[in-house]
Amino acid sequence: MKLNIAVLPGDGIGPEVTAQAVKVLKAIAMEFNHIFTFNYGLVGASAIEKTGNPLPEETISICKKADAILFGAIGNTSYDLNPDAKIRPEQGLLGLRKTLDLFANIRPVIAYEEILNKSSLKKSQIKDTNILIYRELTSGIYFGEKKLSDDGKKASDICEYTQDEIERIAHLAFKAAHSRKRKLTLVDKANVLESSRLWRRVIQKMEPQYPDVKTNYMYVDKAAMELIINPKQFDVILTENMFGDILSEEASVIVGSIGLLASASIGKNHAMFEPIHGAYTRATNKGIANPIASILSAAMLLDHFGLDDEAALIREGVDKSLKLHITTPDLNNKYDNISTTKVGDFIEDFINHPDETNLNFTNIHLGQSTII
Ligand code: IPM
Ligand code: MG
């Protein structure tokens, strides 16, 4: 298969983790005889620095021409501390989501057997957790009208949804539930918010179209608690934009590190793949950033094109790296010298030589090539 992939490394640790995902995709292309081409674009704080614009026209054009987009991370602490900044790195990501109409953000939350002890939660509680969060990505409070009064003393953000916006992501979530454990939980705040009541009404009306899916309804405050005390009860979670942002980051506690959570942002004509974590500016170029979320986002990219064996091989490589403690310091208290690049190299090696007899287990932690 020929795939033209736009790569937007972005800010902070974005470039280093994305480089590992590209490396892994190149190994997959070699192994399975695909032709993947990569076109790089600027976005976020680094784009502001170079062009004054967090989402330059050229970047939009690269993305529109691409079959898929691989996105790194966005943000910079200097903006975080300046609420008055009119131009912000995040506008690059939000603008991209809106321009390309990437309305469905899919975030898998999987408790990996190999690292159950890395979570601050009890093993027995998290074991076998496998949740798919469907987060609406192009509407809601993120994109509603924003106002600040002239005297700067009053501000508002409108949360707006239409029936169509809810239906299009709900169909995807119902279908996903149908192919999994057949349970869909709509997370909302329907006891308070009109927009949530619309979500609930729309989903209730859709239920008969998916008779084999059991639909549940849960308020977001309760869901925040249930995710921690009994995450195994969830299969597919469907929710609006901001609740999805918050709950998915909370869910990373189950997995053990936010550096493991990948995502796919899907629209009708475009698809982007991005880790759920931010730019982690203070870790930039220290070699400590976990590249697995980015690598698993690349696996989701392959899923999107039906390249199931290819995606499965990446996931096997990730499992193996977790099992052998070939992981960055966020997960590793056994070896302290496993860098971002080393994790990428290991998974690349694994793809080139999936038969584990080729792996040099004795020296695997020394930062040497893992191939004998
Ligand atoms: C995410 C991020 C973004 C969001 C930020 C960087 C704008 O937190 O993808 O979860 O809030 O959607
Ligand atoms: Mg977030």
Side-chain angles (χ1 to χ4, degrees):
M1 184 181 276
K2 271 192 187 173
L3 285 180
N4 168 7
I5 301 170
V7 184
L8 311 185
D11 306 326
I13 60 165
E16 48 198 294
V17 296
T18 309
Q20 309 316 309
V22 169
K23 190 193 281 178
V24 164
L25 283 172
K26 284 184 177 164
I28 289 287
M30 281 277 277
E31 193 63 23
F32 291 85
N33 286 318
H34 297 305
I35 300 172
F36 296 163
T37 48
F38 300 92
N39 291 302
Y40 286 75
L42 289 171
V43 73
S46 45
I48 298 175
E49 227 169 77
K50 294 199 177 99
T51 69
N53 182 353
L55 184 58
E57 276 306 320
E58 201 195 327
T59 300
I60 298 178
S61 147
I62 292 171
C63 292
K64 282 191 172 161
K65 281 188 220 140
D67 298 303
I69 305 151
L70 189 63
F71 188 95
I74 208 158
N76 184 293
T77 31
S78 61
Y79 294 89
D80 297 343
L81 297 173
N82 179 10
D84 293 328
K86 291 276 174 291
I87 298 176
R88 314 185 65 86
E90 289 77 7
Q91 290 159 349
L93 178 57
L94 299 175
L96 209 51
R97 290 172 178 171
K98 194 71 178 172
T99 308
L100 304 178
D101 201 18
L102 306 171
F103 63 88
N105 183 224
I106 304 156
R107 301 187 158 185
V109 179
I110 297 164
Y112 294 95
E113 193 65 37
E114 295 85 354
I115 50 161
L116 286 178
N117 59 342
K118 299 293 173 208
S119 172
S120 9
L121 305 175
K122 283 193 199 119
K123 261 193 201 180
S124 56
Q125 254 156 290
I126 57 173
K127 192 177 166 358
D128 299 324
T129 296
N130 188 328
I131 308 172
L132 209 48
I133 299 178
Y134 273 72
R135 167 190 177 193
E136 201 291 328
L137 203 59
T138 48
S139 191
I141 199 166
Y142 271 56
F143 292 97
E145 190 189 358
K146 300 186 182 308
K147 277 202 223 158
L148 179 66
S149 65
D150 291 342
D151 63 5
K153 290 185 177 169
K154 191 174 163 189
S156 64
D157 299 271
I158 304 258
C159 180
E160 233 168 17
Y161 268 107
T162 67
Q163 179 176 326
D164 287 352
E165 284 169 341
I166 298 168
E167 277 175 354
R168 61 182 184 169
I169 184 169
H171 278 300
L172 298 182
F174 269 114
K175 282 180 193 148
H178 172 76
S179 68
R180 289 167 51 98
K181 288 185 229 136
R182 307 195 164 183
K183 185 171 174 190
L184 179 84
T185 306
L186 175 71
V187 172
D188 62 23
K189 189 72 188 171
N191 49 348
V192 177
L193 302 178
E194 201 56 57
S195 55
S196 280
R197 286 192 278 273
L198 180 64
W199 273 84
R200 219 169 250 227
R201 224 175 284 129
V202 171
I203 304 307
Q204 279 172 349
K205 264 198 213 132
M206 290 174 74
E207 268 189 58
Q209 293 178 53
Y210 299 92
D212 59 349
V213 174
K214 185 171 171 0
T215 310
N216 290 64
Y217 299 86
M218 198 180 278
Y219 296 139
V220 62
D221 43 356
K222 174 145 165 73
M225 181 181 72
E226 292 290 334
L227 254 182
I228 297 300
I229 57 178
N230 182 15
K232 271 178 272 193
Q233 70 183 287
F234 296 107
D235 178 22
V236 174
I237 289 179
L238 168 63
T239 193
E240 62 94 60
N241 203 343
M242 191 157 80
F243 297 160
D245 176 47
I246 298 168
L247 292 180
S248 57
E249 185 132 344
E250 183 195 358
S252 73
V253 177
I254 302 167
V255 185
S257 167
I258 195 165
L260 292 173
L261 264 66
S263 87
S265 304
I266 309 287
K268 228 171 130 206
N269 302 313
H270 301 280
M272 182 158 92
F273 301 85
E274 47 173 322
I276 87 153
H277 61 66
Y280 193 14
T281 316
R282 64 187 183 283
T284 310
N285 290 328
K286 291 198 174 141
I288 58 171
N290 191 337
I292 291 182
S294 186
I295 291 171
L296 288 175
S297 299
M300 293 184 84
L301 185 157
L302 298 174
D303 286 335
H304 184 70
F305 294 98
L307 300 176
D308 300 342
D309 293 344
E310 290 83 338
L313 189 57
I314 294 184
R315 294 194 174 102
E316 255 181 73
V318 167
D319 288 347
K320 188 65 78 180
S321 75
L322 297 177
K323 195 168 175 190
L324 297 175
H325 307 282
I326 311 297
T327 52
T328 43
D330 50 324
L331 289 174
N332 210 334
N333 45 21
K334 203 168 160 88
Y335 309 126
D336 58 10
N337 60 344
I338 311 281
S339 66
T340 308
T341 311
K342 177 79 181 98
V343 176
D345 288 348
F346 173 82
I347 296 169
E348 178 193 32
D349 280 353
F350 180 84
I351 289 164
N352 293 332
H353 304 269
D355 178 354
E356 60 180 60
T357 54
N358 288 324
L359 293 170
N360 180 350
F361 289 100
T362 331
N363 293 334
I364 217 153
H365 60 284
L366 296 178
Q368 301 171 355
S369 168
T370 50
I371 303 300
I372 305 176

